[in-house]
Each structure stands twice: as structure tokens, then as C-alpha cells.
């Protein structure tokens, strides 16, 4: 069956980097037998400029009809003064919510050729390849929130006559935990079959349920080795010996923090892809970086994170792991050949622009 994609370039460097990923898509269609069609849509500031809305209904309709969405980046200083509901990021948050993207997959890969880019010693990180699976639509970011003034507020043994008090509730159901656990176990099955579930079960009731349910789900995946870590230890282990991990699964808040730590380990924001998936297997695939207004229009942005997002799209939404591997191998070849955009070049190293990098990946596919 012909796969249907929606491409949303967005703002800033978005159109430049997405254009390079699209070249790779054309090559896979024309020369490697990928049966695919695609169309484009507007989101973020570009959509606001054209329609007065960061997520026009027509974009959402196209996304619903697609098997997967390839997304560039959104945002820019010209939109910073817009009212909250018109801001570019509303477009991204809106599409995630409307499509029910509950699973966020964030690989952190450090190609051996770029080991010097990390703030850790090269021997600790060279060849790093981990995947963080973050629950994206539950937990404290979506729990009940409240801000109030309390008379006679108790802190330990003290009573404060009047205090401003705010609270956010961390809540998970067994359904939500099982759903993300299945996603993580399946992802581990496609990799090195090791899953580490991260929680704070020594303190939090919601984490105790998390651990219980993850253990129940584990029965369906006897080939995957399951371990557990408290989140504070996990953060420490990520910077101490990150290569011990294969797949990490965790709640929304913990995942937000741990995935940024993991990204920083690689030291190359222009290299990292991500995916957000729903229960139907539809996904939104995007680089983890933003629209980089400081370099937009200069032709110097690194397109590899977007090209690698296309690889994730092929693996997770179109079930074409073979073609995903082809793209990843092409990226490796290009890096091994010494090609570098400015963001991944060592001091004094020659650099190439966005288009040359994209062309090189296309050439390396064969
Ligand atoms: P950013 O990721 O856009 O940029 C941070 C730094 O990394 C900049 O110096 C930039 O030049 C560099 N950089 C980023 N991507 C690069 C690439 N592919 N190649 C080379 N260098 C790259 O983050 P920011 O500056 O904090 O935010 C800029 C805008 O992007 C803001 O409007 C923000 O809201 C938005 N943003 C969007 C997303 C998204 O679309 N998912 C994510 C984060 C930020």
C-alpha cells in the first residue's frame, strides 16, 4: 500500500533542513522502491502568516489522513509578541494533543567521528546509542494544577499566617503506564533488548504503580531484560557511564529532563532526531532542535537531525527498518568522509553548507 506523508517545514531553518530530507525521500522513492506520496502543509509562524492560526484546520486534517508527519521547526523572534494562543509553539503542542501522540522517542547517538563534541571524555561516549522513551500526554504536566492563598499554612511545626500555595498533581493510570511500557519493550526488541524503567518508587505513589505495571507488562516480553532505577540515580548514571543503557522508559517530567541530559552528552544538537507516536502507529518526526533564527536563511544549518528523523519515520511508522538503516549508514559514511557543517566541526576544520550535506547523504545512499 502506498504510504502517505505530510511534510511541515515550519519556520526559520525548518524549510532549509526539510528540503534536504525531502531529497533523501525522493531518492528512496525513485531508486530504492519506497512506495510513498506526500504533500506539504503549514504550521507555526508560517501558518500564522498565511491563515492567522499556528495550526490551521486544514493542516490537522492532512495530518489525520497521513501515516506520518515530517516536521522541521517552528518559532522566531517576530512571533514572540503574539498572544499565547497564536504563538508558533501552539501549533506543535496542538498537533501533538489532537493526534494523541503519547510516546516520545528520543535517541541519543554519538557517532564515533564526533566523540570530541561531547563534554564527557571521548572514551565514555564514543559510539553511544541509547533511546529514551518518554510518556508525553500524562503525568504532572497534565494533572490538576492549583494556585491559592492559604490562611494558617503549616510548614513542619511552623504555622505561616498567610501563604501563597501552588500545586501540580502527578497522576498516572495503569492504562497509560501499560501503553508506554509496551511501546518501550517493542522498541527494545528492535535494539539490544535491554530496558531500564526510571521512576521514584521509593517516594511517589504514582511511581509505585508505574513500577508495578511495567513489571506486569514485562511478562509479554521475556526476551527483553528489564531493570529499574530511581530517577536521581539514572541522571547520575547517564553522565557517569551512559553506554550502560539501551532503552530507558520513564514518565513525562523525568523524561523531559533525562532526554535533555542525554542530548547534551552527544554535544551535537544538529544531529538528533525524535519521534512522537500514537496508538494507531502514526507519528510526528522532527529534529530536537528549534528554528535557529540566528542562522536561518544562511544555508549553514545541519540537516542531519531532520534526515535522521526521516529514518525514524521509516522505521517506526512505515515499518521499513531496512531503509532507515540505509539512511543511517549513509550519514555514517558522510561523517567518516570528513564532511562537517559548522555546528559539528572541530576548531579549524573545513565546513560545508546545508545543501552540500544533503547531497552527500543522497549520494552515499547508493
Ligand atoms: P535552537 O535549537 O533553535 O537553537 C539553539 C542553538 O543551536 C542556536 O545557536 C542554533 O543556531 C543552533 N542550532 C540549532 N539547530 C541547528 C542546526 N540544525 N544546525 C546548526 N546549528 C543549529 O533553540 P533556541 O535558539 O532556543 O530557539 C529558537 C526558536 O526555536 C525559538 O523561537 C524557540 O521557541 C523555537 N524552538 C522550536 C522547537 C521546535 O520546533 N520543536 C524546539 C525548540 C525551540
Amino acid at each position: 500500500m502506498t504510504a502517505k506523508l505530510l511534510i511541515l517545514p515550519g519556520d526559520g531553518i525548518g524549510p532549509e533542513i526539510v528540503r534536504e530530507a525531502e531529497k533523501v525521500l525522493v531518492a528512496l522513492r525513485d531508486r530504492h522502491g519506497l512506495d510513498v506520496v506526500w504533500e506539504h502543509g503549514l504550521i507555526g509562524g508560517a501558518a500564522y502568516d498565511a491563515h492567522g492560526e499556528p495550526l490551521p484546520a486544514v493542516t490537522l486534517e492532512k495530518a489525520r489522513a497521513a501515516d506520518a508527519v515530517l516536521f522541521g521547526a517552528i518559532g522566531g523572534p517576530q512571533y514572540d509578541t503574539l498572544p499565547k494562543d497564536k504563538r508558533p509553539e501552539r501549533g506543535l503542542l496542538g498537533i501533538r494533543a489532537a493526534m494523541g501522540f503519547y510516546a516520545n522517542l528520543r535517541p541519543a547517538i554519538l557517532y564515533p567521528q564526533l566523540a570530541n563534541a561531547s563534554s564527557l571524555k571521548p572514551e565514555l561516549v564514543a559510539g553511544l546509542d541509547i533511546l529514551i522513551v518518554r510518556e508525553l500526554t500524562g503525568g504532572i504536566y497534565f494533572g490538576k494544577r492549583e494556585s491559592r492563598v492559604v490562611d494558617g499554612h503549616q510548614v513542619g511545626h511552623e504555622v505561616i499566617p498567610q501563604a501563597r500555595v501552588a500545586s501540580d498533581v502527578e497522576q498516572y493510570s495503569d492504562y497509560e503506564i501499560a501503553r508506554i511500557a509496551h511501546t518501550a519493550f517493542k522498541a527494545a526488541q528492535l535494539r539490544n533488548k535491554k530496558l531500564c524503567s526510571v521512576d521514584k518508587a521509593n517516594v511517589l505513589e504514582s511511581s509505585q504503580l508505574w513500577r508495578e505495571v511495567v513489571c506486569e507488562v514485562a511478562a509479554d516480553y521475556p526476551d527483553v531484560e528489564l531493570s529499574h532505577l530511581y530517577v536521581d540515580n539514572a541522571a547520575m548514571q547517564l553522565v557517569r557511564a551512559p553506554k550502560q543503557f539501551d532503552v530507558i522508559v520513564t514518565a513525562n517530567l523525568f523524561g523531559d529532563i533525562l532526554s535533555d541530559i542525554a542530548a547534551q552528552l552527544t554535544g551535537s544538537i544538529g544531529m538528533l532526531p525524535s519521534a512522537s507516536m500514537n496508538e494507531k502507529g502514526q507519528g510526528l518526526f522532527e529534529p530536537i532542535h528549534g528554528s535557529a533564527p540566528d542562522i536561518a536563511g544562511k544555508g549553514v544549518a545541519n540537516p542531519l537531525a531532520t534526515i535522521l528523523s526521516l529514518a525514524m519515520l521509516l522505521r517506526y511508522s512505515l515499518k521499513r527498518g531496512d531503509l532507515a538503516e540505509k539512511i543511517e549508514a549513509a550519514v555514517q559514511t558522510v561523517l567518516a568522509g570528513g564532511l562537517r557543517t559548522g555546528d559539528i566541526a572541530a576548531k579549524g576544520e573545513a565546513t560545508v553548507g546545508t545543501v552540500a550535506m544533503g547531497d552527500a547523504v543522497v549520494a552515499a545512499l547508493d
Side-chain angles (χ1 to χ4, degrees), residues 18-29:
V18 163
R19 211 172 292 132
E20 300 312 309
E22 216 171 320
K23 282 196 221 163
V24 174
L25 194 56
V26 169
L28 293 178
R29 182 196 60 192

Side-chain angles (χ1 to χ4, degrees), residues 41-110:
L42 292 174
I43 194 162
Y48 175 79
D49 290 340
H51 299 286
E53 294 292 336
L55 181 58
V58 54
T59 299
L60 200 50
E61 251 167 59
K62 286 179 180 179
R64 288 204 170 103
D67 296 304
V69 178
L70 183 68
F71 177 94
I74 40 101
Q78 68 272 44
Y79 305 113
D80 284 352
T81 51
L82 288 176
K84 252 188 180 165
D85 63 324
K86 302 287 182 197
R87 300 269 289 265
E89 57 269 26
R90 285 282 142 171
L92 185 53
L93 294 174
I95 196 169
R96 281 181 183 156
M99 298 287 293
F101 290 134
Y102 69 92
N104 187 219
L105 276 57
R106 294 245 320 231
I109 295 173
L110 183 53

Side-chain angles (χ1 to χ4, degrees), residues 13 71 73-76 92 269-270 286 289-295 301-302 343:
I13 60 170
F71 177 94
I74 40 101
L92 185 53
I269 193 175
E286 54 172 327
H289 60 71
S291 60
D294 52 331
I295 56 167
N302 185 348
D343 58 314

Side-chain angles (χ1 to χ4, degrees), residues 26 33 63 93 123 164 255 317 347 361:
V26 169
L93 294 174
E123 62 267 28
R164 286 177 298 156
S317 273
K347 233 180 167 173
V361 174

Side-chain angles (χ1 to χ4, degrees), residues 110 115 118-130 236-245 265-266:
L110 183 53
S118 174
S119 48
L120 296 192
K121 294 190 200 99
E123 62 267 28
L124 285 182
V125 284
L128 177 75
D129 181 356
I130 61 181
M236 198 164 70
Q237 295 301 330
L238 265 178
V239 288
R240 194 187 69 82
K243 285 195 267 184
Q244 69 182 284
F245 295 108
L265 291 178
T266 73

